[in-house]
Amino acid sequence: MENPSEEPSGRWRTLPSWLLTQTANHAHRLVAGGFSAVDSRGYHYRVLATLDEFGPASQAVLGRRSGIHVSEMVAAINELAERELVERAPDPADRRRNVISLTTAGKRQLRRLEKQLAERQDELLAPLSAEERKRFTELLSKLLDHHDRLGA
């Protein structure tokens, strides 16, 4: 009879793809929990951070800069506007388009989100030294850049 409390074993546990997937699951859970603690989610952070970095933009430009699909962008902006974290105003150059801007309350929320994100990064990477964290991030970036270029 098998012992159900035994840890799973097998060579698949050493495959980089499996390790990345399991680590990504932990990262997602940690970050989502941190954002939830301040009544937000990942799309909110991406929109607020993009506006903070690049300034006001149309929904289409904001979607491209943040990597959020247009169908998701509308919902995220609606949620943020409802909470007065962003402001939607007609574009003076094209009245058919809205320009989205970060409000003062949005900047405060962004700082709370960044604090949560920093804490979750520390929690995720706790077993790694500062140098290992830097190298790990460089390697992940290299992998992602490679596959982005391939369109995979």
mmCIF file of all heavy atoms in Angstrom, residues 80-113:
data_model
loop_
_atom_site.group_PDB
_atom_site.id
_atom_site.type_symbol
_atom_site.label_atom_id
_atom_site.label_comp_id
_atom_site.label_asym_id
_atom_site.label_seq_id
_atom_site.Cartn_x
_atom_site.Cartn_y
_atom_site.Cartn_z
ATOM 1 N N LEU A 80 -10.763 51.049 -11.741
ATOM 2 C CA LEU A 80 -9.893 52.088 -11.186
ATOM 3 C C LEU A 80 -10.577 53.455 -11.182
ATOM 4 O O LEU A 80 -10.436 54.218 -10.227
ATOM 5 C CB LEU A 80 -8.575 52.143 -11.965
ATOM 6 C CG LEU A 80 -7.679 50.909 -11.807
ATOM 7 C CD1 LEU A 80 -6.565 50.921 -12.845
ATOM 8 C CD2 LEU A 80 -7.120 50.810 -10.403
ATOM 9 N N ALA A 81 -11.336 53.762 -12.228
ATOM 10 C CA ALA A 81 -12.054 55.043 -12.302
ATOM 11 C C ALA A 81 -13.150 55.101 -11.234
ATOM 12 O O ALA A 81 -13.353 56.145 -10.606
ATOM 13 C CB ALA A 81 -12.643 55.239 -13.698
ATOM 14 N N GLU A 82 -13.821 53.987 -11.025
ATOM 15 C CA GLU A 82 -14.874 53.922 -10.005
ATOM 16 C C GLU A 82 -14.311 54.227 -8.614
ATOM 17 O O GLU A 82 -14.973 54.839 -7.783
ATOM 18 C CB GLU A 82 -15.488 52.524 -10.031
ATOM 19 C CG GLU A 82 -16.770 52.377 -9.261
ATOM 20 C CD GLU A 82 -17.363 50.997 -9.492
ATOM 21 O OE1 GLU A 82 -17.897 50.764 -10.601
ATOM 22 O OE2 GLU A 82 -17.281 50.169 -8.570
ATOM 23 N N ARG A 83 -13.074 53.835 -8.388
ATOM 24 C CA ARG A 83 -12.408 54.074 -7.106
ATOM 25 C C ARG A 83 -11.622 55.390 -7.098
ATOM 26 O O ARG A 83 -10.893 55.678 -6.158
ATOM 27 C CB ARG A 83 -11.493 52.893 -6.789
ATOM 28 C CG ARG A 83 -12.304 51.605 -6.581
ATOM 29 C CD ARG A 83 -11.450 50.378 -6.459
ATOM 30 N NE ARG A 83 -10.445 50.537 -5.430
ATOM 31 C CZ ARG A 83 -9.376 49.764 -5.320
ATOM 32 N NH1 ARG A 83 -9.170 48.775 -6.162
ATOM 33 N NH2 ARG A 83 -8.501 49.970 -4.365
ATOM 34 N N GLU A 84 -11.738 56.155 -8.179
ATOM 35 C CA GLU A 84 -11.071 57.450 -8.344
ATOM 36 C C GLU A 84 -9.545 57.351 -8.277
ATOM 37 O O GLU A 84 -8.862 58.257 -7.813
ATOM 38 C CB GLU A 84 -11.622 58.468 -7.345
ATOM 39 C CG GLU A 84 -13.110 58.708 -7.536
ATOM 40 C CD GLU A 84 -13.694 59.732 -6.579
ATOM 41 O OE1 GLU A 84 -13.024 60.137 -5.607
ATOM 42 O OE2 GLU A 84 -14.854 60.125 -6.825
ATOM 43 N N LEU A 85 -9.010 56.235 -8.785
ATOM 44 C CA LEU A 85 -7.570 56.043 -8.848
ATOM 45 C C LEU A 85 -7.009 56.497 -10.192
ATOM 46 O O LEU A 85 -5.822 56.789 -10.309
ATOM 47 C CB LEU A 85 -7.217 54.570 -8.578
ATOM 48 C CG LEU A 85 -7.697 54.035 -7.230
ATOM 49 C CD1 LEU A 85 -7.385 52.551 -7.097
ATOM 50 C CD2 LEU A 85 -7.080 54.826 -6.076
ATOM 51 N N VAL A 86 -7.879 56.535 -11.197
ATOM 52 C CA VAL A 86 -7.540 57.110 -12.502
ATOM 53 C C VAL A 86 -8.687 58.015 -12.910
ATOM 54 O O VAL A 86 -9.813 57.885 -12.416
ATOM 55 C CB VAL A 86 -7.293 56.040 -13.602
ATOM 56 C CG1 VAL A 86 -6.143 55.122 -13.243
ATOM 57 C CG2 VAL A 86 -8.557 55.255 -13.913
ATOM 58 N N GLU A 87 -8.381 58.911 -13.829
ATOM 59 C CA GLU A 87 -9.390 59.819 -14.354
ATOM 60 C C GLU A 87 -9.469 59.616 -15.860
ATOM 61 O O GLU A 87 -8.434 59.497 -16.531
ATOM 62 C CB GLU A 87 -8.992 61.262 -14.028
ATOM 63 C CG GLU A 87 -10.011 62.279 -14.440
ATOM 64 C CD GLU A 87 -9.586 63.679 -14.007
ATOM 65 O OE1 GLU A 87 -8.373 63.924 -13.840
ATOM 66 O OE2 GLU A 87 -10.475 64.519 -13.846
ATOM 67 N N ARG A 88 -10.669 59.596 -16.374
ATOM 68 C CA ARG A 88 -10.923 59.444 -17.801
ATOM 69 C C ARG A 88 -11.451 60.786 -18.306
ATOM 70 O O ARG A 88 -12.394 61.324 -17.742
ATOM 71 C CB ARG A 88 -11.986 58.363 -17.971
ATOM 72 C CG ARG A 88 -12.058 57.750 -19.301
ATOM 73 C CD ARG A 88 -13.218 56.763 -19.370
ATOM 74 N NE ARG A 88 -12.842 55.458 -18.889
ATOM 75 C CZ ARG A 88 -13.609 54.679 -18.145
ATOM 76 N NH1 ARG A 88 -14.797 55.080 -17.760
ATOM 77 N NH2 ARG A 88 -13.209 53.500 -17.788
ATOM 78 N N ALA A 89 -10.807 61.319 -19.357
ATOM 79 C CA ALA A 89 -11.244 62.607 -19.919
ATOM 80 C C ALA A 89 -11.154 62.531 -21.444
ATOM 81 O O ALA A 89 -10.289 61.834 -21.984
ATOM 82 C CB ALA A 89 -10.355 63.735 -19.403
ATOM 83 N N PRO A 90 -12.021 63.257 -22.139
ATOM 84 C CA PRO A 90 -11.943 63.267 -23.607
ATOM 85 C C PRO A 90 -10.587 63.806 -24.078
ATOM 86 O O PRO A 90 -10.049 64.752 -23.504
ATOM 87 C CB PRO A 90 -13.074 64.209 -24.023
ATOM 88 C CG PRO A 90 -13.982 64.279 -22.845
ATOM 89 C CD PRO A 90 -13.118 64.064 -21.641
ATOM 90 N N ASP A 91 -10.053 63.184 -25.106
ATOM 91 C CA ASP A 91 -8.792 63.617 -25.709
ATOM 92 C C ASP A 91 -9.073 64.896 -26.495
ATOM 93 O O ASP A 91 -9.911 64.898 -27.391
ATOM 94 C CB ASP A 91 -8.278 62.516 -26.640
ATOM 95 C CG ASP A 91 -6.930 62.826 -27.250
ATOM 96 O OD1 ASP A 91 -6.519 64.004 -27.273
ATOM 97 O OD2 ASP A 91 -6.270 61.881 -27.715
ATOM 98 N N PRO A 92 -8.389 66.005 -26.166
ATOM 99 C CA PRO A 92 -8.644 67.262 -26.891
ATOM 100 C C PRO A 92 -8.340 67.154 -28.387
ATOM 101 O O PRO A 92 -8.942 67.852 -29.191
ATOM 102 C CB PRO A 92 -7.719 68.276 -26.226
ATOM 103 C CG PRO A 92 -7.000 67.575 -25.147
ATOM 104 C CD PRO A 92 -7.394 66.140 -25.126
ATOM 105 N N ALA A 93 -7.441 66.248 -28.764
ATOM 106 C CA ALA A 93 -7.078 66.088 -30.170
ATOM 107 C C ALA A 93 -8.078 65.202 -30.924
ATOM 108 O O ALA A 93 -8.169 65.276 -32.144
ATOM 109 C CB ALA A 93 -5.678 65.487 -30.291
ATOM 110 N N ASP A 94 -8.821 64.366 -30.191
ATOM 111 C CA ASP A 94 -9.772 63.446 -30.819
ATOM 112 C C ASP A 94 -10.847 63.106 -29.794
ATOM 113 O O ASP A 94 -10.658 62.243 -28.949
ATOM 114 C CB ASP A 94 -9.052 62.180 -31.295
ATOM 115 C CG ASP A 94 -9.978 61.223 -32.026
ATOM 116 O OD1 ASP A 94 -11.214 61.433 -32.017
ATOM 117 O OD2 ASP A 94 -9.465 60.257 -32.610
ATOM 118 N N ARG A 95 -11.960 63.784 -29.872
ATOM 119 C CA ARG A 95 -13.034 63.649 -28.883
ATOM 120 C C ARG A 95 -13.627 62.233 -28.814
ATOM 121 O O ARG A 95 -14.325 61.900 -27.879
ATOM 122 C CB ARG A 95 -14.158 64.655 -29.188
ATOM 123 C CG ARG A 95 -13.743 66.071 -28.952
ATOM 124 C CD ARG A 95 -13.858 66.342 -27.504
ATOM 125 N NE ARG A 95 -13.698 67.761 -27.199
ATOM 126 C CZ ARG A 95 -13.329 68.172 -26.027
ATOM 127 N NH1 ARG A 95 -13.096 67.325 -25.079
ATOM 128 N NH2 ARG A 95 -13.200 69.444 -25.789
ATOM 129 N N ARG A 96 -13.341 61.400 -29.802
ATOM 130 C CA ARG A 96 -13.852 60.020 -29.775
ATOM 131 C C ARG A 96 -13.041 59.143 -28.839
ATOM 132 O O ARG A 96 -13.427 58.031 -28.516
ATOM 133 C CB ARG A 96 -13.827 59.409 -31.180
ATOM 134 C CG ARG A 96 -14.735 60.117 -32.171
ATOM 135 C CD ARG A 96 -14.446 59.655 -33.563
ATOM 136 N NE ARG A 96 -13.080 60.062 -33.914
ATOM 137 C CZ ARG A 96 -12.428 59.685 -34.997
ATOM 138 N NH1 ARG A 96 -12.997 58.877 -35.855
ATOM 139 N NH2 ARG A 96 -11.201 60.101 -35.237
ATOM 140 N N ARG A 97 -11.900 59.650 -28.401
ATOM 141 C CA ARG A 97 -10.965 58.866 -27.593
ATOM 142 C C ARG A 97 -10.863 59.467 -26.205
ATOM 143 O O ARG A 97 -10.937 60.680 -26.032
ATOM 144 C CB ARG A 97 -9.608 58.889 -28.302
ATOM 145 C CG ARG A 97 -8.564 58.055 -27.670
ATOM 146 C CD ARG A 97 -7.308 57.966 -28.496
ATOM 147 N NE ARG A 97 -6.901 59.257 -29.046
ATOM 148 C CZ ARG A 97 -6.118 59.397 -30.096
ATOM 149 N NH1 ARG A 97 -5.657 58.352 -30.727
ATOM 150 N NH2 ARG A 97 -5.774 60.601 -30.528
ATOM 151 N N ASN A 98 -10.671 58.613 -25.209
ATOM 152 C CA ASN A 98 -10.432 59.065 -23.837
ATOM 153 C C ASN A 98 -8.950 59.005 -23.510
ATOM 154 O O ASN A 98 -8.228 58.142 -24.007
ATOM 155 C CB ASN A 98 -11.169 58.165 -22.835
ATOM 156 C CG ASN A 98 -12.645 58.443 -22.807
ATOM 157 O OD1 ASN A 98 -13.062 59.592 -22.869
ATOM 158 N ND2 ASN A 98 -13.443 57.393 -22.702
ATOM 159 N N VAL A 99 -8.522 59.918 -22.660
ATOM 160 C CA VAL A 99 -7.167 59.903 -22.117
ATOM 161 C C VAL A 99 -7.302 59.525 -20.646
ATOM 162 O O VAL A 99 -8.126 60.078 -19.923
ATOM 163 C CB VAL A 99 -6.476 61.271 -22.272
ATOM 164 C CG1 VAL A 99 -5.147 61.299 -21.542
ATOM 165 C CG2 VAL A 99 -6.288 61.597 -23.747
ATOM 166 N N ILE A 100 -6.489 58.591 -20.229
ATOM 167 C CA ILE A 100 -6.508 58.099 -18.852
ATOM 168 C C ILE A 100 -5.331 58.721 -18.109
ATOM 169 O O ILE A 100 -4.198 58.697 -18.596
ATOM 170 C CB ILE A 100 -6.404 56.555 -18.803
ATOM 171 C CG1 ILE A 100 -7.384 55.900 -19.782
ATOM 172 C CG2 ILE A 100 -6.575 56.044 -17.384
ATOM 173 C CD1 ILE A 100 -8.828 56.272 -19.584
ATOM 174 N N SER A 101 -5.604 59.266 -16.925
ATOM 175 C CA SER A 101 -4.567 59.894 -16.098
ATOM 176 C C SER A 101 -4.600 59.300 -14.701
ATOM 177 O O SER A 101 -5.650 58.895 -14.203
ATOM 178 C CB SER A 101 -4.807 61.400 -15.976
ATOM 179 O OG SER A 101 -4.840 61.994 -17.238
ATOM 180 N N LEU A 102 -3.454 59.313 -14.065
ATOM 181 C CA LEU A 102 -3.303 58.850 -12.685
ATOM 182 C C LEU A 102 -3.705 59.983 -11.743
ATOM 183 O O LEU A 102 -3.290 61.121 -11.917
ATOM 184 C CB LEU A 102 -1.834 58.463 -12.453
ATOM 185 C CG LEU A 102 -1.450 57.767 -11.181
ATOM 186 C CD1 LEU A 102 -2.187 56.452 -11.017
ATOM 187 C CD2 LEU A 102 0.060 57.510 -11.192
ATOM 188 N N THR A 103 -4.534 59.670 -10.752
ATOM 189 C CA THR A 103 -4.935 60.674 -9.759
ATOM 190 C C THR A 103 -3.984 60.607 -8.557
ATOM 191 O O THR A 103 -3.163 59.684 -8.445
ATOM 192 C CB THR A 103 -6.367 60.415 -9.262
ATOM 193 O OG1 THR A 103 -6.391 59.164 -8.574
ATOM 194 C CG2 THR A 103 -7.369 60.417 -10.409
ATOM 195 N N THR A 104 -4.111 61.555 -7.660
ATOM 196 C CA THR A 104 -3.315 61.539 -6.426
ATOM 197 C C THR A 104 -3.616 60.280 -5.624
ATOM 198 O O THR A 104 -2.702 59.632 -5.110
ATOM 199 C CB THR A 104 -3.598 62.810 -5.593
ATOM 200 O OG1 THR A 104 -3.279 63.949 -6.401
ATOM 201 C CG2 THR A 104 -2.776 62.832 -4.327
ATOM 202 N N ALA A 105 -4.889 59.908 -5.547
ATOM 203 C CA ALA A 105 -5.268 58.674 -4.843
ATOM 204 C C ALA A 105 -4.665 57.461 -5.549
ATOM 205 O O ALA A 105 -4.255 56.489 -4.895
ATOM 206 C CB ALA A 105 -6.786 58.546 -4.769
ATOM 207 N N GLY A 106 -4.591 57.510 -6.877
ATOM 208 C CA GLY A 106 -3.973 56.428 -7.646
ATOM 209 C C GLY A 106 -2.490 56.288 -7.344
ATOM 210 O O GLY A 106 -1.965 55.174 -7.253
ATOM 211 N N LYS A 107 -1.805 57.420 -7.174
ATOM 212 C CA LYS A 107 -0.375 57.389 -6.822
ATOM 213 C C LYS A 107 -0.182 56.768 -5.442
ATOM 214 O O LYS A 107 0.749 55.987 -5.233
ATOM 215 C CB LYS A 107 0.230 58.791 -6.865
ATOM 216 C CG LYS A 107 0.390 59.316 -8.268
ATOM 217 C CD LYS A 107 0.999 60.707 -8.280
ATOM 218 C CE LYS A 107 1.028 61.220 -9.712
ATOM 219 N NZ LYS A 107 1.634 62.527 -9.823
ATOM 220 N N ARG A 108 -1.061 57.121 -4.507
ATOM 221 C CA ARG A 108 -0.973 56.523 -3.161
ATOM 222 C C ARG A 108 -1.205 55.012 -3.223
ATOM 223 O O ARG A 108 -0.482 54.238 -2.597
ATOM 224 C CB ARG A 108 -1.972 57.183 -2.212
ATOM 225 C CG ARG A 108 -1.543 58.539 -1.701
ATOM 226 C CD ARG A 108 -2.396 59.020 -0.537
ATOM 227 N NE ARG A 108 -3.809 59.087 -0.852
ATOM 228 C CZ ARG A 108 -4.430 60.139 -1.367
ATOM 229 N NH1 ARG A 108 -3.751 61.251 -1.617
ATOM 230 N NH2 ARG A 108 -5.723 60.109 -1.616
ATOM 231 N N GLN A 109 -2.198 54.602 -4.014
ATOM 232 C CA GLN A 109 -2.477 53.163 -4.149
ATOM 233 C C GLN A 109 -1.302 52.453 -4.811
ATOM 234 O O GLN A 109 -0.939 51.343 -4.418
ATOM 235 C CB GLN A 109 -3.774 52.937 -4.939
ATOM 236 C CG GLN A 109 -4.143 51.482 -5.137
ATOM 237 C CD GLN A 109 -4.508 50.760 -3.858
ATOM 238 O OE1 GLN A 109 -4.456 51.305 -2.757
ATOM 239 N NE2 GLN A 109 -4.878 49.500 -3.989
ATOM 240 N N LEU A 110 -0.692 53.078 -5.790
ATOM 241 C CA LEU A 110 0.473 52.494 -6.454
ATOM 242 C C LEU A 110 1.589 52.267 -5.441
ATOM 243 O O LEU A 110 2.244 51.217 -5.459
ATOM 244 C CB LEU A 110 0.952 53.387 -7.600
ATOM 245 C CG LEU A 110 2.208 52.928 -8.329
ATOM 246 C CD1 LEU A 110 2.032 51.542 -8.941
ATOM 247 C CD2 LEU A 110 2.583 53.957 -9.400
ATOM 248 N N ARG A 111 1.834 53.201 -4.548
ATOM 249 C CA ARG A 111 2.882 53.035 -3.528
ATOM 250 C C ARG A 111 2.560 51.854 -2.614
ATOM 251 O O ARG A 111 3.441 51.087 -2.245
ATOM 252 C CB ARG A 111 3.064 54.309 -2.701
ATOM 253 C CG ARG A 111 3.479 55.533 -3.492
ATOM 254 C CD ARG A 111 4.768 55.344 -4.294
ATOM 255 N NE ARG A 111 4.907 56.389 -5.274
ATOM 256 C CZ ARG A 111 4.903 56.199 -6.598
ATOM 257 N NH1 ARG A 111 4.794 55.009 -7.107
ATOM 258 N NH2 ARG A 111 5.030 57.213 -7.431
ATOM 259 N N ARG A 112 1.276 51.702 -2.248
ATOM 260 C CA ARG A 112 0.878 50.549 -1.425
ATOM 261 C C ARG A 112 1.112 49.239 -2.179
ATOM 262 O O ARG A 112 1.618 48.270 -1.616
ATOM 263 C CB ARG A 112 -0.597 50.665 -1.019
ATOM 264 C CG ARG A 112 -0.863 51.679 0.074
ATOM 265 C CD ARG A 112 -2.293 51.595 0.587
ATOM 266 N NE ARG A 112 -3.265 52.129 -0.339
ATOM 267 C CZ ARG A 112 -3.628 53.408 -0.408
ATOM 268 N NH1 ARG A 112 -3.112 54.301 0.422
ATOM 269 N NH2 ARG A 112 -4.523 53.797 -1.284
ATOM 270 N N LEU A 113 0.783 49.238 -3.455
ATOM 271 C CA LEU A 113 0.987 48.043 -4.275
ATOM 272 C C LEU A 113 2.472 47.720 -4.420
ATOM 273 O O LEU A 113 2.875 46.552 -4.349
ATOM 274 C CB LEU A 113 0.342 48.221 -5.647
ATOM 275 C CG LEU A 113 -1.182 48.232 -5.658
ATOM 276 C CD1 LEU A 113 -1.706 48.716 -7.004
ATOM 277 C CD2 LEU A 113 -1.739 46.872 -5.322
#
